[in-house]
Amino acid sequence: MSTLLYYLVIHRSRRLKSKQQEQGFALPLALGLGFVMVILGLSTMMIAQSDRISAFNRKEAGASLAIAEGGMARSLAQLTIPNNAVLLNRNYDTINPKTGKTYLGPDGMFNNGDEETSAIDEWTGYDPSSQPCHQSKGWGSPNFATTGAMGATGSYTLRAYRFNPQEQKGTLFVEASRDGKTTGVLITIAVKPDLEGFPGVVLHDPNPGSGGAVGVLALRGRQILGSKGNVYYYPPSSPDPSLTGSSAPGDSTRSEYLNAVFSSAVSDGASGDTVSGTLFACLLRPNIPDGIKGTNFGKITTSQTLNGVSATSPTLYQIEQIDLAGNDVLTIDTTNGPVVLDFVKNSAPKQSISLRDSAKILNIRTDGEPPRVGGLRLNLRGGEDTILLYDQTCIQNAFIWSARDEIQLLTSGPGCPGGQNTNIEGVVWVEDILSSKNAASNRDVNFIGEVGEPYDTIITPNATSGIAVPEDVSSLIDILKYVDWPARYRFGGVLQWQRVRL
């Protein structure tokens, strides 16, 4: 009995101890489960609140994005109007207050390292409507509005526009705000000018209002070839200063305009219509800024080759004079990039470029691609920078800019490779173009237009070789912002669309 009693006592004791242990765990477990339920409840409430806040923020951000897109649409609509379309080849880039620099920079991209510390504004104050060649268009002054309101609390602002002439595209950035929420839209669009009437040959007055009648075009039967061979001349320096319009081949007024550029059959020995393009009796004023000078090659008197070395920026060379004769050729290889020859004051006044016999200045490429007229640029900025072409010489595939002097076509026949009746193939913006006479009886030209100055009376019988303007002038789109030519720019499809969070 004692053994059984001992067993029962021990067993009961163990059951009581186990029950007490279970009771000891139950209370903490219940408290823990309760705490977890509270946390889950609070988390559910916080998630629900966060979802409501996120939904509100998404709604507000969506509203501001819609305003930005609406502002972009309004901006593009304004740029379709001709008086505002003239801004499409100019830059406008304001300062971002968060960075202290422009929004885009020249490459048209955010935060790409090329942003400027000063605002770029080529829009404000730009008004070409009073210029002679613009007046015939009747486009009026630009009136682009960079800001606008949308709804009760929304507004947008065009912060930046950048034009890339090489790639012919423009990038716009519009910022919008609504109830303190801001966002932006960045788009890149294709931008191209309407090149009808492109200024292939420009005769300009470098000193308007000075009293000197300069800017004479004396073709005397020389040809200007190509559909882009449009001529802009200075009416007061012509035999008929009353002309103020334009005349295309076949127009009833054509003989009057040919007479005004010294290329009439009666007075100048011309045979038929010598100009393939339109003659415009209105003054253009190119003003191409002076750039950085490169390596000085001094005077070039023998054959040699200069190379372009960069596809992204022109290779710059300083030249004092080019004086070639015989079969000498100055070859400019633009395969790897464009070249600019910037002429500086030289020791041979009035002869910055002189070519005799069969000498040539040629723009070439060795990669199978045709040379482009914008690939070689001859910048003559001084007061004694005459280009003299004799015999059967040639300047080919070049843009010629002479700020204060002339070209004298004294050649006896064509000299450019390719078989055209030309001594110059390219785009020519100069003060005067003077040609030798076909016969002694043809009109003389006082090319300076001042009393006591000599007449240009050189005679080269039967000479008709002249200038051919290439069909593709797209490589010169960048210089159109430096001349008051009424270019009508148009934009095409959207190349890129990007939302920008501010």
Side-chain angles (χ1 to χ4, degrees):
M1 287 292 295
S2 61
T3 300
L4 179 61
L5 179 60
Y6 174 79
Y7 172 79
L8 290 175
V9 170
I10 293 301
H11 179 69
R12 180 176 177 81
S13 175
R14 288 178 176 175
R15 289 185 61 189
L16 288 175
K17 186 176 181 181
S18 175
K19 187 175 181 179
Q20 288 173 353
Q21 289 177 341
E22 290 175 358
Q23 289 176 346
F25 280 112
L27 181 59
L29 180 62
L31 291 174
L33 288 174
F35 180 73
V36 168
M37 295 301 293
V38 171
I39 294 298
L40 287 175
L42 291 174
S43 299
T44 301
M45 293 176 63
M46 291 173 67
I47 291 171
Q49 179 66 16
S50 176
D51 286 344
R52 284 194 293 270
I53 294 173
S54 297
F56 177 77
N57 287 338
R58 286 195 298 270
K59 178 181 177 181
E60 292 300 306
S64 61
L65 177 61
I67 292 172
E69 290 179 330
M72 184 67 73
R74 286 188 183 179
S75 298
L76 291 175
Q78 291 186 81
L79 291 171
T80 62
I81 306 171
N83 62 313
N84 290 326
V86 298
L87 302 175
L88 280 167
N89 73 328
R90 309 177 74 82
N91 296 304
Y92 177 81
D93 202 344
T94 60
I95 295 297
N96 182 348
K98 293 183 178 179
T99 64
K101 297 182 179 180
T102 54
Y103 282 89
L104 300 182
D107 66 358
M109 300 174 65
F110 269 95
N111 301 322
N112 212 39
D114 66 341
E115 294 80 14
E116 300 100 331
T117 56
S118 299
I120 306 299
D121 188 358
E122 297 174 349
W123 285 15
T124 303
Y126 175 63
D127 184 4
S129 62
S130 63
Q131 301 299 328
C133 296
H134 277 264
Q135 288 178 338
S136 62
K137 300 291 185 180
W139 289 345
S141 303
N143 58 358
F144 186 90
T146 57
T147 62
M150 282 192 173
T153 58
S155 64
Y156 71 90
T157 301
L158 181 94
R159 297 293 187 189
Y161 172 78
R162 286 286 186 163
F163 177 61
N164 186 321
Q166 285 74 35
E167 298 182 15
Q168 297 189 46
K169 64 182 183 182
T171 301
L172 299 91
F173 172 61
V174 168
E175 179 185 281
S177 63
R178 181 177 182 272
D179 297 330
K181 302 294 182 180
T182 62
T183 191
V185 170
L186 182 79
I187 70 166
T188 300
I189 54 177
V191 176
K192 295 184 178 181
D194 182 346
L195 295 177
E196 182 180 356
F198 178 86
V201 176
V202 173
L203 285 300
H204 66 92
D205 180 357
N207 297 299
S210 66
V214 294
V216 176
L217 175 57
L219 284 182
R220 293 164 164 172
R222 301 277 180 166
Q223 290 186 323
I224 295 181
L225 305 175
S227 66
K228 298 295 191 301
N230 304 297
V231 176
Y232 290 76
Y233 72 94
Y234 187 36
S237 294
S238 76
D240 189 353
S242 67
L243 298 174
T244 58
S246 63
S247 181
D251 286 355
S252 60
T253 59
R254 190 65 169 182
S255 61
E256 299 173 26
Y257 281 80
L258 289 170
N259 176 69
V261 295
F262 291 89
S263 199
S264 69
V266 174
S267 303
D268 306 298
S271 177
D273 194 339
T274 56
V275 180
S276 297
T278 299
L279 290 162
F280 292 88
C282 64
L283 175 65
L284 290 178
R285 295 190 180 98
N287 186 22
I288 301 174
D290 198 358
I292 299 172
K293 303 295 191 300
T295 304
N296 192 338
F297 273 76
K299 185 176 180 179
I300 296 177
T301 59
T302 59
S303 295
Q304 61 180 282
T305 298
L306 302 178
N307 295 285
V309 298
S310 172
T312 58
S313 60
T315 304
L316 308 175
Y317 297 102
Q318 289 187 64
I319 306 293
E320 293 181 9
Q321 185 184 16
I322 298 174
D323 188 2
L324 301 176
N327 294 318
D328 286 335
V329 177
L330 173 59
T331 302
I332 312 298
D333 189 337
T334 58
T335 304
N336 296 321
V339 171
V340 174
L341 303 186
D342 215 322
F343 288 76
V344 297
K345 187 175 181 180
N346 59 72
S347 58
K350 300 186 178 181
Q351 294 183 23
S352 285
I353 299 177
S354 178
L355 303 181
R356 294 182 179 274
D357 304 318
S358 297
K360 297 174 177 58
I361 300 173
L362 302 179
N363 171 11
I364 70 161
R365 290 182 64 146
T366 59
D367 58 354
E369 294 293 324
R372 309 188 74 190
V373 67
L376 171 58
R377 307 189 185 197
L378 310 180
N379 292 339
L380 299 93
R381 304 178 184 278
E384 297 178 335
D385 282 330
T386 303
I387 298 174
L388 297 170
L389 301 183
Y390 299 92
D391 307 315
Q392 292 180 292
T393 50
C394 173
I395 299 175
Q396 190 176 50
N397 300 317
F399 169 64
I400 301 173
W401 156 241
S402 181
R404 297 181 179 276
D405 226 318
E406 79 261 10
I407 290 175
Q408 293 190 23
L409 285 173
L410 309 177
T411 54
S412 58
C416 291
Q420 295 192 84
N421 188 29
T422 58
N423 300 111
I424 296 175
E425 294 181 5
V427 172
V428 179
W429 294 2
V430 295
E431 181 182 357
D432 305 87
I433 296 178
L434 308 169
S435 303
S436 55
K437 297 166 63 174
N438 285 317
S441 59
N442 297 341
R443 285 184 294 184
D444 295 335
V445 177
N446 183 334
F447 57 91
I448 296 181
E450 297 178 357
V451 176
E453 292 292 339
Y455 284 82
D456 186 21
T457 58
I458 297 174
I459 299 171
T460 309
N462 305 316
T464 62
S465 58
I467 300 170
V469 180
E471 297 299 315
D472 182 8
V473 292
S474 60
S475 56
L476 291 175
I477 298 303
D478 60 300
I479 67 166
L480 294 182
K481 68 187 291 184
Y482 303 121
V483 62
D484 50 340
W485 176 59
R488 171 71 183 272
Y489 282 81
R490 305 176 190 275
F491 58 86
V494 175
L495 305 176
Q496 181 182 359
W497 183 97
Q498 177 184 350
R499 180 180 178 181
V500 178
R501 297 184 182 276
L502 302 170

